[in-house]
Amino acid sequence: MIRPLTKPFFLLVFSLMGLFPAFAQDECELVLNRAIEEFNAGHHYGIPAMLNECLERNQNREWRQRAYLLLAETYLLLEDPFGAEKSYLEVLRANPEYKTDEARDPIDLVYLSSKFTSTPIFTLSAKIGPNISIIRKLVDRGTYASEVNKQYRLKPGFQVGVGVDWNYSERLSVMLEGNFVYSAYRQRISGQFDRDESSFFDRQTWVRIPLSIKYSAAQGQYRPYGYIGSSFDLLLGDRATIQYKDQNYNPETNRVESIDRESPILKYKSKRNAINYSVFVGGGVKYKLKLDYIFADLRYSFGMTNIVDQDNSIFDYNKGQSPVTEGFQDSGDGTFRWGHIDDLFRMDNLFISVGYIHPLYKPRKLKKAHSKSVLRSIKRQGDEVKVD
Amino acid sequence: MKLRLINIFWLLLPFLSCDTKKDFEEGTKNYFVKYFGEDGDQQAIDMVVNEDGTIMILGNTSMPGASQRILMIKTDAEGNLLWQKKFGSDVDLLGREVIAEYPQDLEPTSDGNFLILSNMYRGVDVATNEDIYDFKVIKINPQGDSIGGMEFGNNAEKWSTQFVRSITALSSGGFIVTGNSTDESIAADPQLTPPDQEDMFAIGFESDLKTVAWTTLELGASVGTTGEHFGSGIKVFEASPNEYYMFSYSDRQLIGETDFESNFEVSNFSGNGIPLGFSDNAGRETSWEILASVCKVPGVLGGGYYELGTSIPTSTITNTVGQLYFCKRNENLNKQSEGTISSISGQFTATTVAPSVFSDGFLILANEKTTAGTTIRLIKTNLNSEALWSVNMGSFDKSSSGASVAELPDGRIMILGTIELETQDKIGLMKVNSQGEFLN
């Protein structure tokens, strides 16, 4: 009786299969080393054929970088500029941030590299973080005929967003974002009717489309940046609740007696201007993680427009409802039940965000190569050799 | 290049649309809602809009642990409080207890001051189980200081009670009050079944504000001859120093009718309170018309007088709501038109009426009964009393009520009312545009 294949047997088979890439890797490493020996020996013609099979096996980035560098140098010596350019392009595909070194690399390779770049044309990013809203009052309004004490308090919100940078150069870019922002603030009033207190808590959701010009450091593990821009802001929703403390002094009990009430959620979007604009400045630092980045960002946004729809600040006239219907009356509850009317104000925001950046590297031949400096360097080296 | 230009435009756009305080400041003065008050509840009664744009407001205030008092408020044209003063006390000038003040009317005088009319509630007469009132008149200057006044003690104790509804400042410096009394013995009516309940009166005072010049009772008796059960004087106008017009309502049985049902009434009397013989009525046989307010119609709108009240179907007379009823009369009190205010629906209690010179019509204030409360209804009519537009103010399920309305020289409208907020009543002053909207 033949015993069925057991689990240990399969494990052995798969383990042996797993070794094949490693065997292949080691074999290609040997091939590359042989090719380097042939190159050093001046046997250039056979090198492309030697490396071809391994290149077709899709080796790792590091091996491909070294192999194509060798090929580029080989084609340069074989006076095959097409082959050299094609090979150097593959070097950049394997490692978009590869840079030749005049001290280390042959000068013709350095000259060849000056015709190429892999700087990303576009860079993608995503971020998340908290924010606070700062109210900038334009006109003070209220329903209380006598003086009251009014204060705005900070409340936390949050934002998430995605962005794309169009990189004009290594340092300069234009950034377009799409952000979802939840922001909030609280207005506290005290002293109504001698001693009452109230609190108006407003929560807003926005879609913001900021556009900015950014300047970034191009070198180093930590790369600071700064930007300035403006934003188109669309209000998606606005909900408010009002807490009211009706306090009365009772001489019979010699105490201040309080009746506390909280409103249901009041829909305030109709009392707002849905479209707003803002201007912002900001900066941060990005940290290089291989070919990507993580970043921390601080932004201050100056609201440029009055957020309150002055015409709808008591009743909602936009709905087109008859002013004697219950639905229309309900839109005035903020004023006629809870005694509230908005100041006219602009809203600033302070955003703190952390996020991730993924540059879309694009190795390509430059339309206009920056090779004059390289030529000057070659000429300078040649002059030095003559002097020697 | 094109992309750079788009970028520059986008970045510059917010600077082009930057809002500043100057962009809005003037507009925010054109409409408002303002609340006045203190601890407890305050209610609005009447207002006078002065020529300089300031507003005098009469109300009452009920604070915890204290009895109701008269509240006088003065505001600027934007509704900001200039001063607030209280009048009244727990005892009258004779040391008798005053349980509560019920202010009724505020009128300007020809010397630039104001007259406050208030009923003083003294409690219940245990013999008749009826509420006992006296009334007082306080003269104040534009700064709210009391500069004179009087208290009326039941017509030198001849009447057990009386309730005044309005005061009219006279060119002579005196004044007239009118109202009714549940002491039905003050006027002799024929024997009625059921018995007489109220008698109406008007009382004239000299310029010293204390001396009773004359008293007249049950004007309009010539309209019908069988007396009345219910009725009250509402407003007296000085047609000339020798002739006054009194507007009232009563359920006097009219000639040709068999039922006692309330109608508007008007009659005239002399400078010393003697009826001069004219009287007329307005109303429908199948409903009770209860007069609430009368205004003088400016000459540019045709002159005369405009009466406003509530028309309650006889079958539902226990209600206090119905349709709004009007009667327009010329300078000689001849009736020009009457009927219900058309083109509106709802259940109302009429409050007050004012002429609208800017828009050629009338402004009517009423309390509308909703499913869960009352709201203030402002109605604009044309000269034919057809409603052109109307708006409600107040929360739908709270009990807010109108007190006074006035048109401003620029056509905007000032409304005074009592607004029931979530936990308390407050005096509300509201300014709207000529369409009744809180808009510029």
Side-chain angles (χ1 to χ4, degrees), chain A residues 92-234:
Chain A
L92 292 178
R93 287 197 179 112
N95 180 8
E97 296 197 330
Y98 179 79
K99 296 249 186 287
T100 54
D101 185 346
E102 283 186 29
R104 177 193 68 208
D105 297 314
I107 201 62
D108 50 352
L109 186 67
V110 174
Y111 180 75
L112 176 68
S113 73
S114 70
K115 296 181 185 178
F116 291 87
T117 184
S118 63
T119 53
I121 297 176
F122 294 104
T123 299
L124 304 177
S125 60
K127 63 182 179 182
I128 190 170
N131 67 68
I132 53 171
S133 302
I134 301 102
I135 303 301
R136 299 268 180 233
K137 196 160 45 175
L138 290 171
V139 177
D140 185 73
R141 298 198 303 172
T143 59
Y144 306 109
S146 48
E147 287 279 329
V148 294
N149 183 28
K150 214 189 262 190
Q151 287 179 325
Y152 284 98
R153 300 283 175 90
L154 302 177
K155 297 296 288 183
F158 71 88
Q159 70 281 345
V160 295
V162 294
V164 57
D165 286 32
W166 173 66
N167 300 302
Y168 181 75
S169 70
E170 256 192 324
R171 294 176 189 272
L172 202 61
S173 61
V174 173
M175 179 170 61
L176 179 69
E177 300 168 72
N179 297 330
F180 173 84
V181 177
Y182 166 84
S183 61
Y185 68 90
R186 189 185 289 277
Q187 182 196 59
R188 294 204 62 178
I189 302 177
S190 60
Q192 311 96 302
F193 313 129
D194 291 345
R195 68 186 92 241
D196 290 358
E197 294 173 5
S198 65
S199 176
F200 178 81
F201 182 33
D202 195 9
R203 288 94 75 197
Q204 301 170 341
T205 52
W206 299 81
V207 164
R208 295 193 171 192
I209 314 290
L211 181 71
S212 55
I213 295 174
K214 186 197 289 185
Y215 186 84
S216 311
Q219 305 291 334
Q221 194 73 11
Y222 290 92
R223 300 187 185 185
Y225 61 89
Y227 54 81
I228 184 169
S230 65
S231 177
F232 169 86
D233 307 331
L234 178 68

Side-chain angles (χ1 to χ4, degrees), chain A residues 138 142-143 145 168 195-196 211 230 246-249 251 304-306 310-311 317 329 333 335 337 346, chain B residues 4 10-11 14 18-19 21 31 33-36 39-40 64 81 392 394-397 422-424 438-439:
Chain A
L138 290 171
T143 59
Y168 181 75
R195 68 186 92 241
D196 290 358
L211 181 71
S230 65
D246 176 6
Q247 304 195 110
N248 301 284
Y249 172 70
M304 304 302 286
T305 51
N306 167 36
Q310 190 179 350
D311 288 346
Y317 292 103
Q329 291 305 112
D333 263 6
T335 299
R337 195 184 189 109
R346 304 194 302 231
Chain B
R4 283 186 204 169
W10 183 286
L11 289 171
C18 179
D19 288 335
K21 183 177 180 179
Y31 61 88
V33 174
K34 292 287 184 183
Y35 295 122
F36 303 85
D39 279 356
L81 180 70
N392 275 13
S395 200
F396 209 74
D397 60 346
E422 178 65 15
T423 59
Q424 55 195 315
F438 289 99
L439 296 173

Side-chain angles (χ1 to χ4, degrees), chain B residues 14 34 42 65 81 87 119 151 175 200 206 211 223 250 264 286 316 381-382 401 417:
Chain B
K34 292 287 184 183
Q42 290 73 48
L81 180 70
F87 298 91
N119 291 293
E151 289 180 2
F175 62 87
M200 69 177 80
E206 302 286 2
T211 306
V223 173
S250 81
F264 296 173
T286 55
T316 61
T381 75
N382 58 19
S401 56

Side-chain angles (χ1 to χ4, degrees), chain B residues 227-387:
Chain B
E228 43 70 49
H229 305 86
F230 301 98
S232 179
I234 297 299
K235 186 66 183 178
V236 173
F237 288 93
E238 182 179 8
S240 74
N242 297 314
E243 187 178 13
Y244 302 120
Y245 297 155
M246 177 162 163
F247 292 84
S248 59
Y249 71 89
S250 81
D251 71 337
R252 196 180 318 277
Q253 194 176 43
L254 301 178
I255 296 171
E257 290 185 4
T258 55
D259 292 330
F260 289 88
E261 45 86 15
S262 178
N263 295 285
F264 296 173
E265 294 179 347
V266 62
S267 52
N268 60 352
F269 56 94
S270 68
N272 51 8
I274 306 296
L276 294 174
F278 175 87
S279 62
D280 194 17
N281 64 80
R284 301 180 292 191
E285 197 171 343
T286 55
S287 54
W288 283 50
E289 280 69 44
I290 313 287
L291 184 66
S293 175
V294 186
C295 72
K296 196 154 184 348
V297 181
V300 294
L301 297 182
Y305 300 88
Y306 191 97
E307 302 168 78
L308 177 77
T310 310
S311 178
I312 306 169
T314 310
S315 58
T316 61
I317 194 51
T318 50
N319 290 343
T320 57
V321 293
Q323 293 178 296
L324 296 173
Y325 201 86
F326 77 95
C327 177
K328 192 163 176 299
R329 298 180 182 276
N330 64 15
E331 291 281 352
N332 298 320
L333 299 183
N334 296 317
K335 195 189 307 179
Q336 293 175 311
S337 60
E338 67 171 297
T340 56
I341 303 294
S342 61
S343 306
I344 56 165
S345 60
Q347 292 290 298
F348 303 99
T349 304
T351 304
T352 189
V353 61
S356 170
V357 172
F358 192 84
S359 306
D360 286 345
F362 298 96
L363 295 168
I364 290 171
L365 208 59
N367 300 329
E368 180 177 6
K369 188 173 187 304
T370 67
T371 50
T374 57
T375 57
I376 300 169
R377 176 78 79 103
L378 170 67
I379 302 161
K380 168 71 173 63
T381 75
N382 58 19
L383 289 173
N384 297 324
S385 297
E386 295 160 337

